[in-house]
Amino acid sequence: MKIVGTAVLAAMLVAAAARAQAVDLSRLTCRDFLAGGGDGTGFMLAWLDGFYTNEDAPAVFDLETMKEKGAKLGEYCAKHPTIGLMTAAAQFMGKIANAGREPG
């Protein structure tokens, strides 16, 4: 799954190369993530989903599921803007996501 996610993310990044910039996601807060908007947010969601998905998971890129996870992450981040993005994302992305459970 990580290979597929990486390939999709690489393709998206090539398309946006003119506006490319490096982002250290480990330093971002939920507030930073919500303020970003645009294409960058989609790229971050795709990367986070791939990062938190078990490498033994099926090689399926499901945009609808990623959109749902992104909505849950966005709702959580709106309520907890000072939490680190990686900490928040761990609860909603990939195989370790716990449906209906708020991180604590």
Side-chain angles (χ1 to χ4, degrees), residues 11-89:
M12 291 188 307
L13 291 174
V14 168
R19 299 173 293 196
Q21 60 180 317
V23 178
D24 183 353
L25 296 182
S26 69
R27 303 183 106 213
L28 292 182
T29 64
C30 276
R31 179 181 290 118
D32 299 328
F33 174 71
L34 293 174
D39 292 338
T41 302
F43 295 144
M44 283 188 251
L45 284 173
W47 187 89
L48 288 165
D49 194 44
F51 183 80
Y52 285 109
T53 297
N54 186 311
E55 69 180 56
D56 295 330
V60 176
F61 188 76
D62 184 342
L63 289 175
E64 190 61 36
T65 300
M66 191 173 71
K67 204 182 331 180
E68 291 170 8
K69 291 176 186 178
K72 288 179 183 179
L73 177 60
E75 290 172 14
Y76 180 79
C77 280
K79 293 177 184 174
H80 305 90
T82 60
I83 298 290
L85 178 61
M86 296 296 288
T87 300

